[in-house]
Each structure stands twice: as structure tokens, then as C-alpha cells.
Amino acid sequence: MRIDLFTLFPEWFDWFLRQRHFQNALSAGTEIRLFNYRNTTPLGAGQVDDAPYGGGAGMVLRVDVVDAALRSAYGEGEDPSRVVVLAASGRPLDDALAGELAGEPSLALLCGRYEGIDERVRENLATDAISIGPYVLSGGELAAMVIADVVIRKLPGSLGHASSAVEESFSEALGGAPEYPHYTRPASYRGWGVPEVLLSGDHARVRKWRLEESRKRAGGASGR
Ligand SMILES: C[S@@+](CC[C@H](N)C(=O)[O-])C[C@H]1O[C@@H](n2cnc3c(N)ncnc32)[C@H](O)[C@@H]1O
């Protein structure tokens, strides 16, 4: 898989891309590339944004600037299979959407800034608009990192244990429910114990208990 990140602030990704599971994914053949809209802007003096038509506060990332960045990366007619605009108003990201994206050969993630991106990008250049939640970030970079992270976790070879990503919160293996609780040593700490079943060595009982706990959480048992 290839993930291309389009941004005005490529340095935001420096630390992120150095992390272990990205390095594992890169070794396993995943390619990640960074593109700065400012490097390919067709406008003078590195301009990338403009005032919104109709007035109002803030500046808007221009459609010709985003198009120039995409054309410079892909040429004519060679766009990735999914071109995603990050937008608070987009389709909410969930595990199913992450799985869908992980099945694609190539992704482009377009980070907005300021008041956002000219809507013609979403209408004509993108295949998707995705939101990571009902709140507003200062830019699309953190949202792109969230998407890249959940997608990469689903690729073979990125996690230490292949099974780690199969049975976890919201996965099909748990019927879309949150994951069950985990405990480790010590078995007692400040008087806080561990459920007896987990110490029993009875795998069938452990399995049953875990599925029950997962279902309880799906029922909204405790927010803790
Ligand atoms: C300050 S925000 C623009 C907010 C926009 N005016 C609005 O009210 O929706 C700048 C950029 O951050 C990104 N962004 C902000 N919140 C986001 C979210 N919840 N999910 C995905 N991207 C987000 C988008 O790329 C957006 O263009």
C-alpha cells in the first residue's frame, strides 16, 4: 500500500513516521510520501490560500493549489484509488471505514488548514471526505495521522503480533463491540484483585467471560 500525505506542515509528521509500527510497515513494503502544497503552488510568492467568496473570517486553501499538488504527484489520470479530504463535516471514521481504506492499494490524504479547503476539491478531486470526530482541529494533520495509524495497524506485519489487530475494540471478531478488559501481574495490588476466571487456566471459561465483558461494554455499562 502507498499513503500520500498532502499538507502545508510536513514537519508535523516527522516524529509520527519514526514510530515503530510505521517503521515495521515501511519494512514490509508500505510506502509513505509527503507533499507540501506550497512547493507546487502555481501562484507567486508561495501563496496557497485566499479570502472566502461571500466574505467572512479566515482564509481558504485554493482549489488550483490542491489540484497542482495532485497533478505534480500523479500526472494526468493516475490518481490513487481513494483521495480523501480531511473535514470535520465528512463521513465519521470508524473501524469499518478503516478496514475499507486498508484494502486500497493507494490513498491520498489532503490536510486542510485555516477555514478549510475550497469545496470544489471535495466535489471534483476527492473520492471521500472523512472526519475523525465531531469537533474542530486546527488542521488536517492530526486527522491524517489518526487515519494513517488505524489503516497501518490493519496491514500485515505492522504489529508485533498478527492477532493483536484481529480481536480488538469494534472488530468483526467481537461483533463490533468494545474489547474486554485486560489484567497483568501482580495478581493483587493495593488490595485490587484480578477476576478469578483469568487465573483459572480454563480457556473456555476465559473466552466466555471475555465475550460477556465485551458485550457489557457494548451495552454502555461503564464509561471508565
Ligand atoms: C480549522 S479547520 C476548518 C474548520 C471548518 N471551518 C469547519 O467549521 O468545519 C482546518 C482543517 O482542519 C481539518 N479538520 C478539522 N477538524 C477535523 C475533524 N474533526 N476531522 C478531520 N479533519 C478536521 C480539516 O482538514 C480542515 O480543513
Side-chain angles (χ1 to χ4, degrees), residues 84-109:
V84 176
V85 177
L86 285 320
S89 57
R91 174 178 168 189
L93 179 66
D94 60 14
D95 194 67
L97 177 52
E100 228 180 81
L101 297 176
E104 299 287 351
S106 49
L107 293 181
L109 303 178

Side-chain angles (χ1 to χ4, degrees), residues 51-58:
Y53 281 125

